[in-house]
Amino acid sequence: MTMPTRHIHLTDEQDAFVEEVVRAGRYENASEAMRDAVRGLQHRIQADELKLDLLRTQLQAGLDALENGRFTEVGDADLDATLDDLAPPTR
């Protein structure tokens, strides 16, 4: 199977890191290390998109609750205590 070729520019530090992981035997060569780096980027982008979708869902649920009157007003004097009650307990 033929793979496309890309020419990339790395900083000296990045290049040294790639060389180090190849020399340490973690990868057969620099191309394998770079493919793994791209896979990591793909996974991070997918995770970020899932988090953003969840945030949008939660935001919409909050907006819907406000629109339907399902909320509790909290005065300035009680705000800190209310926020403390929402926080998970510390161990």
Side-chain angles (χ1 to χ4, degrees):
M1 176 173 86
T2 303
M3 290 189 209
T5 300
R6 296 271 180 204
H7 297 278
I8 62 170
H9 299 273
L10 301 175
T11 65
D12 290 340
E13 182 180 316
Q14 292 166 334
D15 185 56
F17 178 75
V18 171
E19 287 298 318
E20 178 184 320
V21 296
V22 171
R23 260 188 273 114
R26 296 187 72 170
Y27 298 95
E28 291 288 323
N29 53 50
S31 291
E32 186 180 295
M34 296 307 299
R35 283 191 296 273
D36 191 42
V38 170
R39 280 190 296 273
L41 177 61
Q42 288 172 316
H43 289 214
R44 190 178 81 221
I45 289 172
Q46 289 170 351
D48 288 350
E49 288 173 355
L50 289 173
K51 289 175 189 176
L52 189 54
D53 286 345
L54 178 60
L55 182 59
R56 285 184 177 122
T57 299
Q58 292 173 331
L59 176 62
Q60 190 58 55
L63 292 172
D64 292 346
L66 282 172
E67 189 174 304
N68 294 320
R70 296 182 318 237
F71 62 89
T72 303
E73 282 194 46
V74 178
D76 289 344
D78 300 322
L79 184 58
D80 285 338
T82 301
L83 293 174
D84 288 343
D85 290 343
L86 294 174
T90 57
R91 295 182 186 204

